[in-house]
Amino acid sequence: MIDAEQLYGRQILADEVHLNNAQGVQLIRRPALAIQDRWVLCQRCGQRTLKKEVRLPGNKFYCPHCFQLGRVTSDQWLWSLAEPNLFMPIASSPLSWRGKLTPAQASCSQQVRQYFAAGRTHLLWAVTGAGKTEMLFPGIQWALSHGLRVGIASPRVDVCLELAPRFEAAFKSIPQIVLYGDMSGTYEYRQLTICTTHQLLRFYHAFDVLVIDEVDAFPFAADPGLSFAAEQAKKESGALLYLTATPSRELQRQEKQNRLTVSYLPARYHGHALPEIKVKTTGNWRKRLNQNHLPGKVNRTLSQLIMKQRRFLIFVPHVNDLPRVETALKKQFPPLKLATVHATDPQRHEKVQWMRDQQIDCLITTTILERGVTFSDIDVIVIGADDQVFSTAALVQIAGRVGRKADFPSGLVQFFADSQTKVIREARRQIRFVNRKARQEKLIGDV
Amino acid sequence: MQTCLLCHRENLYQPTLWQLLNFQTVSQSPVCTGCWQTFEPIPADQACQGCGRRSAEKKCPDCQKWQADSSFSNRALYTYNAPLKRYMSQYKFNGDYRLRRVFQGQFQQAVKTLQADLIVPIPINQSTRKQRGFNQVLGFLEGVETLAGLATVQSDKSVPQSAKTRQQRLLTAQPFKLNVDEEVFRKKRVLLVDDIYTTGRTIRHAAELLIGAGAREVIGLTLAHG
Ligand SMILES: [Zn+2]
Ligand SMILES: [Zn+2]
Ligand SMILES: [Zn+2]
């Protein structure tokens, strides 16, 4: 037995469903797997699979792409109830945020609100440090005060957990829920939902306004199921807004062909250009690192930084490189206060805090710190930027760690690589492109 | 591009030189070499002849202690290490039936070596079968002629365990019943196949039943011991 409320705009996989309070609602039932000639098409995650690959005894089929939410088989149904928007009426403005948008932010924000109202799909391209969350507030205020259901989703749990308190503070009177894989609580029906994009697979025509944050390399080369999940989680009449800091060439092509509308915010809120990426070529950084040494050029750059008493992040390609660089630095620069951090480091949050509190001057890290963290007045070094773990989006984000605060809007972004790969060139091109655009629009002064 | 079913990275097709020289057509393994190498095979000549675990002695200390049922001997193909546990969880609990193909070659070879008259897979109970949609042991044995000689006994849930006499409890401990006529097993060498040998209780229960039905000899084959 399940409460009707649990099923508003949701979809659950089951043989059958019994509702507690079934009066006045109509259960919607769809086959979980669509069977075609040679393919099966999953109605939850949208991926298709060759039938002969996933045939079970008894001529049944399953989807091998979305196991985490329980296996979808061809003899099951997806059950849902239409979203009724049963929220408490809101008397006054729900926005408790009292900050001010820059004129450029305000104009983007205005466009976003119009696309929300029109129920359209739109992309907001804002550079790292543009203040895009704040730009969403007016549009979301409009949606909430009209009794609409709003969802904010990101592929990364870290981003969701970082966004949640900001939305809670900005909309104090609106009940919200945060959903992710290993959360401790259970699902509740709320007007404002913040969740991982993976959790979107549990929704069906729920949101009047859905925002997908931190979308790399639109249109999601890495995750073809994402646009399906987003389309299905929103109402058919609902608005869909994608946010990105790293526009791919494909995105620009789609915009030119008028297949997508885009708002640009090519400047940071403080009105200074993005620091551009500098590259120095190394002989064979992999060999040097494996011998616990740094390439000579890296050493020279670092000693200059240390002499100027700069504080910096060093990005390395792999977890194994962390102790190597640490050993080399301790030998070369004994007084330097440093730490290493990686994704499964139990002290991860503490170490980030040490760097913020200036207890250490150097943090050596894998790509986990590429986004979501802000340090004041730092430089960034990447050793082995030509390694294939770094995507263009990752390199742009890494460069975006520098100069985020209005008090310290600039700094050094120095990459070391054996050669300038296509990925590095594309990252440099993107940053130069947005700076050029920002200058054209007079959003930044001359630097 | 083919991706490895376990680590989801690219799975390059690398036929051996021998296969190329002999123009053999080999189907590509569904897992990559990297994942494949994390499994630990137990060579037949380094295994305990009782339970099948890796052992320097002919009988491991455990099997020496339990000499009583020394008539049964189990062959385990792999040690049940962490990567194999992960494999089993993806295969059984996710229900990714594609993974049955990973060890089919190893099973075919072992079945050939063990030369039994009948090959009987350990059955799984009805509700698991319905939910999972397949018997994981039968998946390993695709293409091998097997006999559904056993069925699971529906446990009688209406009477709590404590209310039963000791006699009844011992009886209900046998989880299997014969699915075919006793006659079929008479004087036969039977190979029982299961996925994991843990305490050996399951497979030994099945063996007892078949010996009782008149089988000449019952041996076991499991994917793993652990
Ligand atoms: Zn699916
Ligand atoms: Zn693999
Ligand atoms: Zn033993």
Side-chain angles (χ1 to χ4, degrees):
Chain A
M1 290 295 261
I2 170 170
D3 283 339
E5 203 183 69
Q6 291 282 316
L7 216 50
Y8 292 158
R10 299 275 281 177
Q11 55 180 1
I12 60 170
L13 182 71
D15 295 335
E16 46 186 343
V17 160
H18 298 283
L19 288 178
N20 268 330
N21 34 355
Q23 58 275 55
V25 294
Q26 181 65 52
L27 271 168
I28 307 164
R29 186 183 83 162
R30 297 173 295 134
L33 214 56
I35 299 177
Q36 304 170 336
D37 253 11
R38 293 177 58 218
W39 303 85
V40 286
L41 192 65
C42 179
Q43 299 302 295
R44 183 171 65 187
C45 75
Q47 309 251 49
R48 66 172 200 169
T49 317
L50 269 176
K51 273 165 97 171
K52 62 172 189 193
E53 280 286 302
V54 291
R55 189 191 304 271
L56 290 168
N59 214 26
K60 290 193 295 182
F61 303 91
Y62 67 97
C63 170
H65 300 287
C66 56
F67 286 124
Q68 298 96 318
L69 301 180
R71 189 183 66 182
V72 166
T73 49
S74 50
D75 56 349
Q76 289 174 305
W77 303 92
L78 287 165
W79 301 81
S80 40
L81 287 174
E83 170 59 52
N85 290 61
L86 291 179
F87 307 115
M88 295 287 280
I90 296 157
S92 57
S93 160
L95 184 61
S96 29
W97 181 70
R98 292 287 166 259
K100 219 173 135 37
L101 297 174
T102 64
Q105 281 178 320
S107 120
C108 271
S109 179
Q110 178 69 17
Q111 287 175 27
V112 164
R113 193 184 126 152
Q114 281 162 2
Y115 282 104
F116 283 177
R120 295 268 305 277
T121 295
H122 185 67
L123 190 127
L124 171 58
W125 166 23
V127 295
T128 55
K132 57 184 156 55
T133 307
E134 290 76 13
M135 273 186 278
L136 297 177
F137 289 162
I140 287 173
Q141 173 193 24
W142 169 86
L144 293 171
S145 54
H146 282 76
L148 302 183
R149 190 170 184 185
V150 175
I152 316 280
S154 163
R156 294 155 207 268
V157 185
D158 284 356
V159 175
C160 292
L161 295 178
E162 201 250 351
L163 285 176
R166 293 168 69 187
F167 276 94
E168 206 176 336
F171 299 98
K172 285 197 181 106
S173 60
I174 303 293
Q176 72 176 53
I177 182 141
V178 189
L179 306 172
Y180 52 96
D182 48 359
M183 59 188 270
S184 51
T186 52
Y187 169 78
E188 275 171 81
Y189 178 58
R190 295 283 168 81
Q191 190 173 5
L192 178 59
T193 302
I194 295 169
C195 66
T196 54
T197 46
H198 197 77
Q199 292 293 316
L200 290 178
L201 297 178
R202 294 185 192 272
F203 288 91
Y204 185 69
H205 296 176
F207 301 110
D208 301 281
V209 165
L210 178 58
V211 179
I212 315 272
D213 196 3
E214 298 282 354
V215 177
D216 285 344
F218 190 90
F220 332 122
D223 186 0
L226 180 54
S227 67
F228 178 90
E231 287 293 338
Q232 192 156 267
K234 74 175 187 68
K235 285 184 188 166
E236 274 164 327
S237 59
L240 183 54
L241 176 70
Y242 290 111
L243 301 179
T244 184
T246 47
S248 64
R249 281 169 191 268
E250 170 64 17
L251 158 68
Q252 291 166 48
R253 211 170 52 82
Q254 291 208 11
E255 189 207 2
K256 281 205 186 89
Q257 296 171 345
N258 295 321
R259 282 158 60 196
L260 184 74
T261 55
V262 184
S263 296
Y264 291 95
L265 188 54
R268 288 181 157 174
Y269 72 96
H270 55 47
H272 293 267
L274 291 180
E276 293 192 3
I277 297 168
K278 296 195 166 78
V279 181
K280 283 184 181 160
T281 40
T282 41
N284 185 344
W285 57 265
R286 173 46 65 205
K287 196 172 152 208
R288 294 291 291 168
L289 280 194
N290 288 352
Q291 297 163 344
N292 291 339
H293 288 298
L294 296 175
K297 285 183 184 169
V298 177
N299 270 329
R300 280 195 288 283
T301 300
L302 290 181
S303 46
Q304 282 165 13
L305 293 182
I306 291 167
M307 222 149 63
K308 286 192 273 182
Q309 297 194 318
R310 296 290 298 163
R311 303 172 62 248
F312 46 91
L313 300 177
I314 300 180
F315 286 85
V316 296
H318 300 285
V319 181
N320 302 342
D321 296 324
L322 295 171
R324 294 175 180 144
V325 173
E326 187 180 18
T327 311
L329 282 178
K330 281 187 168 153
K331 214 162 21 181
Q332 198 77 18
F333 310 103
L336 184 67
K337 284 179 285 181
L338 58 86
T340 65
V341 66
H342 58 92
T344 53
D345 189 335
Q347 280 188 293
R348 177 173 157 184
H349 298 287
E350 285 159 77
K351 288 173 171 174
V352 168
Q353 200 53 45
W354 295 345
M355 188 70 188
R356 283 210 181 98
D357 298 345
Q358 312 205 358
Q359 290 179 39
I360 51 175
D361 296 319
C362 164
L363 191 53
I364 312 164
T365 176
T366 56
T367 54
I368 56 143
L369 292 190
E370 79 181 37
R371 67 186 76 208
V373 288
T374 298
F375 302 105
S376 180
D377 198 18
I378 54 155
D379 295 329
V380 160
I381 305 287
V382 181
I383 302 176
D386 50 342
D387 191 283
Q388 58 175 7
V389 306
F390 296 113
S391 62
T392 295
L395 292 177
V396 170
Q397 288 286 350
I398 285 172
R401 295 310 96 200
V402 173
R404 293 175 80 93
K405 294 279 164 97
D407 297 345
F408 304 99
S410 60
L412 176 71
V413 181
Q414 182 69 64
F415 288 6
F416 294 93
D418 289 348
S419 64
Q420 280 228 32
T421 56
K422 218 175 123 193
V423 170
I424 297 176
R425 284 201 305 272
E426 176 68 15
R428 301 182 81 179
R429 188 194 67 83
Q430 280 192 14
I431 290 175
R432 280 198 297 260
F433 177 80
V434 289
N435 280 341
R436 201 161 53 234
K437 206 163 169 79
R439 266 184 213 107
Q440 280 165 6
E441 294 174 23
K442 308 240 181 305
L443 296 175
I444 53 177
D446 278 314
V447 189
Chain B
M1 187 188 82
Q2 284 275 15
T3 53
C4 165
L5 291 186
L6 293 175
C7 67
H8 307 293
R9 280 194 283 263
E10 188 175 355
N11 186 9
L12 293 172
Y13 176 55
Q14 294 165 311
T16 62
L17 188 60
W18 177 254
Q19 287 161 347
L20 286 175
L21 290 175
N22 286 279
F23 300 103
Q24 283 181 359
T25 47
V26 276
S27 57
Q28 185 183 5
S29 166
V31 301
C32 70
T33 348
C35 286
W36 183 251
Q37 281 163 355
T38 60
F39 302 129
E40 298 170 49
I42 306 174
D45 56 355
Q46 292 170 41
C48 165
Q49 289 178 357
C51 64
R53 74 158 58 114
R54 187 184 273 274
S55 161
E57 308 288 317
K58 274 200 148 113
K59 286 266 166 111
C60 74
D62 270 9
C63 288
Q64 281 174 26
K65 219 162 42 189
W66 302 108
Q67 272 174 347
D69 31 8
S70 59
S71 62
F72 179 81
S73 144
N74 186 64
R75 165 95 178 100
L77 298 174
Y78 293 87
T79 301
Y80 201 29
N81 62 1
L84 199 57
K85 279 181 187 154
R86 215 173 311 126
Y87 161 83
M88 280 309 286
S89 127
Q90 288 186 34
Y91 179 38
K92 266 166 80 171
F93 300 114
N94 285 356
D96 195 350
Y97 192 50
R98 297 174 300 175
L99 288 173
R100 71 189 184 285
R101 304 201 323 257
V102 177
F103 294 107
Q104 279 177 355
Q106 280 60 37
F107 270 96
Q108 276 162 16
Q109 217 159 36
V111 162
K112 219 181 269 171
T113 320
L114 291 168
Q115 293 192 328
D117 302 320
L118 296 172
I119 298 163
V120 178
I122 295 287
I124 57 174
N125 69 45
Q126 280 290 313
S127 63
T128 314
R129 170 72 178 68
K130 187 171 180 300
Q131 212 211 348
R132 192 172 296 156
F134 59 89
N135 176 340
Q136 68 275 9
V137 180
L138 268 177
F140 294 140
L141 295 173
E142 208 172 33
V144 174
E145 195 186 328
T146 60
L147 171 74
L150 294 170
T152 54
V153 179
Q154 288 298 68
S155 62
D156 185 7
K157 288 208 178 87
S158 55
V159 187
Q161 284 284 331
S162 54
K164 293 174 187 166
T165 64
R166 190 185 130 74
Q167 187 72 37
Q168 280 172 323
R169 276 206 298 275
L170 282 178
L171 274 175
T172 51
Q174 171 60 267
F176 305 115
K177 60 182 181 199
L178 291 184
N179 197 32
V180 293
D181 201 75
E182 275 197 3
E183 199 59 35
V184 178
F185 298 106
R186 190 145 301 157
K187 302 220 169 94
K188 293 282 164 53
R189 176 176 154 97
V190 185
L191 177 64
L192 280 169
V193 186
D194 203 358
D195 49 4
I196 313 298
Y197 184 108
T198 311
T199 60
R201 264 184 43 206
T202 314
I203 203 165
R204 280 168 194 273
H205 266 304
E208 251 167 59
L209 201 61
L210 298 186
I211 291 287
R216 170 166 53 91
E217 195 187 1
V218 181
I219 49 175
L221 170 64
T222 59
L223 174 64
H225 181 291

